[in-house]
């Protein structure tokens, strides 16, 4: 919508103001043109004392604003099962989800690694600490998008990942994470792209190129 187009709500208010102003002006003109009949009176009038103005009541005190709870930085990411549950809460709204039975897990010397493929172009991968089974890192991996639908698909998967690793963020704050990390709907047209941002102790690192596709990983930020 053009910025110069007047909002319908303000348009109605402006019309109402003009109508009221016109009516007021018409009434004033009528009162000035109409002579007022006066009659002489021989009776004396008694002066009345002036009424004292009533004291102006004090405005009510504003209610105290409730303090927002302090959000402490996360010390670790959730375990894999919790991540999948939180991820699916958001991804279900977009029409896809992670099937736990199809998650591939492999064991390394120090960490466990996992991978889940949504289709032949995009998936999720990460590593898990062996000592407490919490996520060490988790990210979205995808080949370069060739259509607008593929771009939207990657954005929705990325939004779901951010929600799962930072449940306290609102939808607007999640989109701001994407902007701060450098991700946009025009990613398929960029030659290369890197970025990083931190929310509540979770760091999001973005890497993208037309040749290698894109990666967006979440991990606990280093102090």
């Amino acid at each position: 919508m053009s910025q110069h187009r007047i909002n319908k709500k303000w348009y109605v208010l402006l019309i109402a103001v003009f109508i009221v102003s016109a009516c007021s002006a018409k009434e004033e003109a009528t009162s000035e043109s109409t002579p007022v009949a006066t009659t002489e009176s021989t009776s004396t009038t008694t002066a009345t004392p002036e009424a004292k103005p009533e004291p102006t009541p004090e405005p009510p005190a504003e209610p105290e604003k409730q303090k927002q709870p302090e959000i402490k930085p996360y010390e670790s990411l959730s375990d894999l099962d919790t991540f999948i549950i939180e991820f699916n809460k958001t991804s279900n709204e977009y029409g896809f989800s992670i099937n736990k039975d199809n998650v591939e897990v492999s064991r390394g010397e120090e960490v466990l690694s996992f991978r889940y493929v949504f289709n032949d172009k995009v998936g999720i991968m990460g590593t898990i600490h062996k000592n407490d089974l919490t996520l060490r890192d988790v990210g979205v991996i995808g080949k370069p998008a060739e259509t607008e639908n593929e771009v939207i698909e990657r954005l929705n998967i990325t939004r779901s990942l951010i929600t799962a690793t930072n449940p306290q963020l609102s939808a607007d704050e999640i989109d701001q994470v994407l902007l701060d990390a450098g991700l946009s709907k025009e990613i398929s047209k960029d030659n290369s792209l890197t970025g990083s941002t931190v929310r509540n102790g979770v760091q999001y690192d973005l890497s993208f190129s037309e040749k290698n596709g894109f990666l967006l990983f979440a991990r606990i930020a280093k102090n």
Side-chain angles (χ1 to χ4, degrees), residues 74-93:
Y74 297 114
E75 296 180 356
S76 64
L77 298 178
S78 66
D79 58 85
L80 180 58
D81 288 344
T82 302
F83 169 79
I84 293 175
I85 292 172
E86 294 296 329
F87 183 95
N88 288 343
K89 285 181 181 178
T90 302
S91 65
N92 282 331
E93 299 178 5

Side-chain angles (χ1 to χ4, degrees), residues 50-62:
E50 295 182 358
K52 295 182 179 181
E54 295 182 359
T56 304
E58 296 182 359
E62 295 183 358

Side-chain angles (χ1 to χ4, degrees), residues 144-160:
E146 298 177 353
T147 66
E148 183 178 351
N149 287 338
E150 290 181 357
V151 172
I152 294 173
E153 176 188 55
R154 285 153 177 71
L155 288 174
N156 290 339
I157 293 175
T158 306
R159 288 188 180 101
S160 300

Side-chain angles (χ1 to χ4, degrees), residues 138-210:
V138 58
V140 180
I141 55 174
K143 295 179 180 179
E146 298 177 353
T147 66
E148 183 178 351
N149 287 338
E150 290 181 357
V151 172
I152 294 173
E153 176 188 55
R154 285 153 177 71
L155 288 174
N156 290 339
I157 293 175
T158 306
R159 288 188 180 101
S160 300
L161 182 141
I162 296 173
T163 302
T165 54
N166 233 318
Q168 299 184 74
L169 297 181
S170 66
D172 289 340
E173 290 171 332
I174 290 171
D175 285 342
Q176 191 61 49
V177 170
L178 294 174
L179 293 175
D180 292 346
L183 194 64
S184 70
K185 288 188 177 181
E186 287 75 32
I187 57 174
S188 61
K189 299 178 183 179
D190 295 337
N191 293 324
S192 61
L193 187 65
T194 58
S196 180
T197 187
V198 177
R199 293 294 189 282
N200 302 329
V202 181
Q203 179 172 323
Y204 299 94
D205 297 315
L206 171 70
S207 174
F208 173 83
S209 68
E210 289 188 354

